[in-house]
Amino acid sequence: MAEFTMELNDDQKQVRDWIHGFAADVIRPAAAEWDEREETPWPVIQEAAKVGIYSLDFYAQQFFDPTGLGVPMAMEELFWGDAGIALSIVGTGLAAIGVLANGTEEQIGTWIPQMYGTPDDVKVAAFCSSEPDAGSDVGAMRTRAVYDQAKDEWVLNGTKTWATNGGIANVHIVVAVVDPGLGTKGHASFIVPPGTPGLSQGQKFKKHGIRASHTAEVVLEDVRVPGSCLLGGKEKLDERLARAREKAKAGGERVKNAAMATFEASRPAVGAMAVGTARAAYEVALDYAKTRTQFGRPIIDNQGVAFQLADMRTQIDAARLLVWRASWMAVAGKPFTAAEGSMSKLYASEVAKKVTAQAVQILGGNGFTREYPVERMHRDAAIYTIFEGTSEIQRLVIARTLSGMPIR
């Protein structure tokens, strides 16, 4: 187990600088165009694949970094470049985490490579959990998975929404209800292979921010997948459901469901994304304040501006520290006894919204135009307090963890 440190080692610094260079040279110059087009930036994803950033090997190296800082470091630099394009590059990772968190070694080895494809033929993957009536309330999930024992197949029916890469993905990971009587404990995750009949894309959403990232509904109509596509396997599922039924009768402890296992693993990474966007907006505002002259002097000479920048930098650094702590705890196997993962996501998300808004204010009228990137960053930052658990849900998780009470 690596000791916690706030100093990146030489290898990590080299990787950080490499990613930063890609973000500066490839992502940023393309950001405004793909934001306007509201389309998946396939050429940028392919460039990322060619240099090795969009690949299973790269994410595996960061995921298994013994310090836990590999993933948050990479996320911060990519999202410093642009949130929409970066999410198109890393969106596949959520589906991959779903397989890593719940799948067997054979499933991991078989399906994660197919999520990425090759540099010459890039693919993406989608994690499908939310539904029209089941966002924060995962217990309201209606998508059903019914086992056909005669054919050893699972039949999936339902509609998923807010799915990053939904409908355009090569591989979809779908969370479905297998035992309605168990509530969230009766959920399981399934791999839907490429070209499976019955899966289609519903409406594609036109969004306020992260426009370069494809977000859509996924419709499942009698989608049949082999039994081997149940993440973790049927034996493990049957054992888990049996324990859940026993504990439900006895009023025992809660059992994590498949979607929550994925989100718990990814929340610090989302916090790192928010830190990257906040840092980008802060840097633009700082440079602008040094060069923008009013009343014969740079506007940073005014305390009203300088103090805002001081607060922005302080909050960004504090958010990063929370993210790094949670990431280190996760890799070190330390339990989130105070919901540290949710803390990091909550605080970093709120900081990103606040800092980008302050950046727009510092730039004044220029900040409100698309001639400057802070307008786009401000729109992008809004998503961090919403997806993968709203700020309200994060506070609920933290409060429940601290109190041990079923706070509603």
Side-chain angles (χ1 to χ4, degrees), residues 288-304:
Y288 185 88
K290 289 179 178 179
T291 57
R292 173 66 168 171
T293 301
Q294 289 288 280
F295 304 106
R297 62 182 183 178
I299 62 173
I300 200 171
D301 279 357
N302 300 296
Q303 287 186 3

Side-chain angles (χ1 to χ4, degrees), residues 247-313:
K247 288 174 181 176
K249 290 178 182 178
E253 63 188 62
R254 296 165 60 198
V255 178
K256 292 179 195 172
N257 64 71
M260 290 301 101
T262 300
F263 290 142
E264 282 186 16
S266 64
R267 277 172 179 159
V270 176
M273 298 173 189
V275 170
T277 299
R279 189 184 111 212
Y282 158 77
E283 290 176 0
V284 173
L286 177 63
D287 289 342
Y288 185 88
K290 289 179 178 179
T291 57
R292 173 66 168 171
T293 301
Q294 289 288 280
F295 304 106
R297 62 182 183 178
I299 62 173
I300 200 171
D301 279 357
N302 300 296
Q303 287 186 3
V305 173
F307 285 6
Q308 282 193 74
L309 289 161
D311 286 343
M312 291 158 73
R313 175 58 186 267

Side-chain angles (χ1 to χ4, degrees), residues 99 103-112 191 228-233:
V99 176
T104 64
E105 290 186 8
E106 182 179 357
Q107 289 169 333
I108 292 169
T110 299
W111 294 107
I112 292 184
I191 302 160
S228 60
C229 286
L230 166 65
L231 283 178

Side-chain angles (χ1 to χ4, degrees), residues 6 51 56 69 89 144 148 160 165 169 172 195 215 223 229 258 283 291 298 303 305 359 363 367 374 382 406 408:
M6 291 183 289
V51 301
L56 172 60
L69 302 185
I89 293 173
R144 287 294 310 276
D148 183 342
K160 294 296 182 178
N165 298 329
H172 291 76
T215 310
V223 171
C229 286
E283 290 176 0
T291 57
Q303 287 186 3
V305 173
L363 269 67
V374 292
R408 296 183 181 276

